[in-house]
């Protein structure tokens, strides 16, 4: 699905990736909470690094999918 | 160190490197695909200037009015030009009578023999006829010129289009050759996309383009041509015939933007185009991105 390359955010024309970032941030936080609830982060070496990397992967894949 | 620990370290690093690779892919995709947000709608603007000077006595168009080719736009005061025509007609009559008189003279002299009229006088009269005929033709041409000027007091639209930013009114003095109004050619709308030079190898003439106006309308277009020259901003003007080179910083260089002209394929009825609108352009590249030259990136 081709997304418009820019989007009107409160009168400011921003690249769509910024909006996508906010959306994935919300969803990513939900996923993050679910994983934490199952206690899977206790097995990680560096929980914060793992969480940031997981979110980055998620955001990158979503953005690549919409921008192909 | 237990196996559990090693696996958890490896897993974290694996996810981290996957994240790094995906971010790089995203960046390269963003930077190396031929699209730009810096596109402008443009049109041919004809500067209408009267062919004769004079007072503007009638203005037949309003600002932003649509006009058809050949429509009367304004009228320059024709009084002077009417008088000029009358003057030229009188001159024609005068030259004509001079010519007839000389012809009659010449005929009369030709009929007499050489004892009465010298050969010189006869030849002179023949030449006088030729001169009078030339003067007559000149007067006729002058009459045509004054009639043309009179016709040109009516300023007509050279193309279909829209009058824009009309700042001339009845009573203004219009000078010959000085533009008094702008006419935007309604058949000439096109889009200029300012693409970074790093993306240019991905664009070729004939590629299809998706255009999106800032207000959301979608249009389609075709790459028409690519500009073959832009101004060198490092060397704006040479002074005293020597170059004026800007001492730029060595590390940071910005990609220049080259205009790419995009022909609009078809404009839907409900889309109103104005020269100057902003649009986002995405080009469907026909070049294989694997083989296209691209800047070295890490």
């Amino acid at each position: 699905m081709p997304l418009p390359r820019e989007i009107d955010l409160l009168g400011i024309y921003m690249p769509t990736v910024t909006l996508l970032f906010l959306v994935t941030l919300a969803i990513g936080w939900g996923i993050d909470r679910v994983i934490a609830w199952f206690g899977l982060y206790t097995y990680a070496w560096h929980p914060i690094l793992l969480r940031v990397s997981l979110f980055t992967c998620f955001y990158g894949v979503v953005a690549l999918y919409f921008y192909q | 160190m237990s196996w559990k620990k090693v696996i958890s370290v490896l897993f974290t690093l694996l996810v981290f490197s996957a994240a790094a690779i995906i971010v790089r892919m995203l960046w390269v995709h963003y930077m190396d695909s031929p699209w730009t947000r810096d596109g402008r709608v443009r049109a041919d603007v004809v500067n209408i200037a009267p062919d004769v000077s004079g007072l503007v006595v009638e203005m037949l168009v309003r600002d932003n009015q649509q006009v058809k080719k050949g429509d009367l736009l304004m009228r320059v005061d024709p009084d002077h030009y009417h008088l000029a025509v009358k003057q030229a007609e009188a001159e024609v009559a005068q030259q004509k009578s001079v010519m007839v008189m000389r012809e009659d003279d010449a005929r009369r002299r030709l009929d007499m023999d050489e004892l009465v009229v010298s050969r010189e006088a006869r030849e002179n009269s023949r030449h006088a006829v030729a001169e009078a005929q030339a003067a007559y033709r000149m007067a006729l041409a002058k009459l045509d010129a004054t009639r043309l000027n009179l016709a040109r007091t009516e300023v007509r639209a050279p193309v279909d289009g829209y009058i824009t930013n009309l700042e001339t009114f009845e009573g203004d003095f219009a000078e010959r050759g000085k533009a008094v109004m702008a006419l935007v050619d309604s058949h000439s709308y096109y889009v200029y996309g300012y693409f970074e030079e790093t993306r240019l190898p991905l664009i070729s003439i004939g590629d299809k383009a998706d255009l999106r106006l800032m207000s959301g309308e979608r249009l389609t277009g075709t790459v028409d041509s690519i500009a073959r020259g832009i101004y060198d901003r490092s060397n704006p003007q040479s002074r005293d015939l020597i170059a004026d080179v800007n001492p730029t910083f060595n590390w940071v260089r910005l990609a220049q933007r080259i205009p790419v002209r995009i022909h609009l394929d078809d404009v839907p009825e409900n889309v109103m185009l104005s020269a100057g609108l902003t649009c986002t352009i995405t080009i469907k590249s026909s070049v294989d991105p694997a083989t296209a030259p691209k800047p070295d990136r890490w």
Side-chain angles (χ1 to χ4, degrees):
Chain A
M1 189 189 88
L3 271 187
R5 294 284 177 148
E6 58 184 352
I7 208 138
D8 180 7
L9 197 68
L10 303 173
I12 304 162
Y13 283 80
M14 310 259 273
T16 313
V17 278
T18 46
L19 192 78
L20 218 51
F21 180 79
L22 295 178
V23 172
T24 48
L25 198 65
I27 300 169
W29 182 80
I31 296 170
D32 178 66
R33 286 298 88 200
V34 170
I35 295 171
W37 189 72
F38 281 111
L40 294 178
Y41 284 137
T42 51
Y43 298 106
W45 167 50
H46 242 298
I48 294 172
L49 180 65
L50 183 64
R51 286 168 68 190
V52 169
S53 301
L54 276 176
F55 169 71
T56 313
C57 284
F58 178 53
Y59 170 62
V61 167
V62 169
L64 272 177
Y65 175 73
F66 282 120
Y67 263 57
Q68 59 191 315
Chain B
M1 203 197 269
S2 67
W3 276 110
K4 220 168 125 187
K5 181 84 176 165
V6 171
I7 288 168
S8 76
V9 168
L10 279 180
F11 180 70
T12 310
L13 288 180
L14 198 71
V15 174
F16 176 72
S17 23
I21 288 166
I22 286 171
V23 166
R24 186 185 178 276
M25 274 168 69
L26 192 61
W27 176 249
V28 166
H29 184 75
Y30 201 80
M31 293 303 287
D32 285 346
S33 56
W35 74 282
T36 183
R37 294 165 74 189
D38 194 8
R40 304 302 291 269
V41 175
R42 293 171 57 131
D44 298 348
V45 181
V46 183
N47 289 319
I48 309 280
D51 197 17
V52 289
S53 298
L55 285 172
V56 178
V57 287
E58 202 177 354
M59 203 72 195
L60 291 111
V61 286
R62 284 174 294 108
D63 200 10
N64 301 328
Q65 185 182 321
Q66 184 174 17
V67 294
K68 292 261 171 284
K69 184 176 179 176
D71 280 1
L72 188 57
L73 302 178
M74 66 176 224
R75 229 189 279 272
V76 173
D77 187 5
D79 290 354
H80 284 301
Y81 300 98
H82 275 305
L83 292 176
V85 169
K86 276 185 193 161
Q87 198 180 343
E89 280 167 352
E91 258 171 60
V92 166
Q94 184 196 3
Q95 295 300 338
K96 192 174 182 181
S97 62
V98 169
M99 183 180 71
V100 170
M101 184 184 79
R102 296 232 179 123
E103 277 168 356
D104 291 348
D105 284 357
R107 202 181 319 113
R108 229 175 291 123
R109 281 178 197 170
L110 211 64
D111 288 345
M112 293 174 202
D113 58 14
E114 275 191 23
L115 291 171
V116 185
V117 182
S118 70
R119 210 161 78 199
E120 187 191 9
R122 269 156 61 169
E123 271 174 14
N124 280 355
S125 68
R126 211 175 67 229
H127 293 312
V129 167
E131 190 202 345
Q133 282 170 341
Y136 176 63
R137 284 203 303 274
M138 201 153 83
L140 281 179
K142 230 187 233 178
L143 178 63
D144 284 345
T146 53
R147 282 190 179 139
L148 181 66
N149 276 344
L150 181 62
R152 294 283 165 93
T153 57
E154 290 184 345
V155 179
R156 292 181 180 277
V159 290
D160 295 346
Y162 299 91
I163 300 293
T164 301
N165 198 22
L166 184 60
E167 295 279 2
T168 306
F169 311 102
E170 277 176 33
D172 280 348
F173 191 85
E175 266 176 71
R176 177 168 192 263
K178 201 175 155 202
V180 290
M181 63 178 98
L183 177 61
V184 180
D185 187 343
S186 54
H187 304 302
S188 70
Y189 284 101
Y190 63 95
V191 169
Y192 243 13
Y194 302 104
F195 283 88
E196 282 130 311
E197 52 190 320
T198 52
R199 300 176 203 261
L200 280 183
L202 297 164
I203 302 169
S204 30
I205 289 164
D207 283 354
K208 289 284 164 203
D210 276 329
L211 311 165
R212 200 184 153 90
L213 298 179
M214 215 172 184
S215 47
E217 288 98 333
R218 288 173 179 281
L219 302 168
T220 52
T222 313
V223 175
D224 178 83
S225 52
I226 299 169
R228 296 306 177 95
I230 58 165
Y231 189 60
D232 181 2
R233 293 166 64 104
S234 302
N235 188 357
Q237 251 176 353
S238 60
R239 262 176 275 175
D240 302 333
L241 296 179
I242 48 175
D244 178 12
V245 182
N246 202 5
T248 51
F249 198 56
N250 268 343
W251 285 8
V252 180
R253 288 184 306 163
L254 287 178
Q256 299 294 324
R257 286 177 183 253
I258 306 291
V260 173
R261 189 179 169 131
I262 293 163
H263 170 261
L264 292 171
D265 286 346
D266 58 328
V267 181
E269 292 275 315
N270 58 340
V271 174
M272 196 205 73
L273 288 177
S274 292
L277 288 178
T278 315
C279 72
T280 304
I281 303 163
T282 314
I283 287 179
K284 290 174 189 150
S285 182
S286 58
V287 180
D288 180 13
T291 57
K294 46 171 80 85
D296 296 330
R297 289 212 177 90
W298 50 272

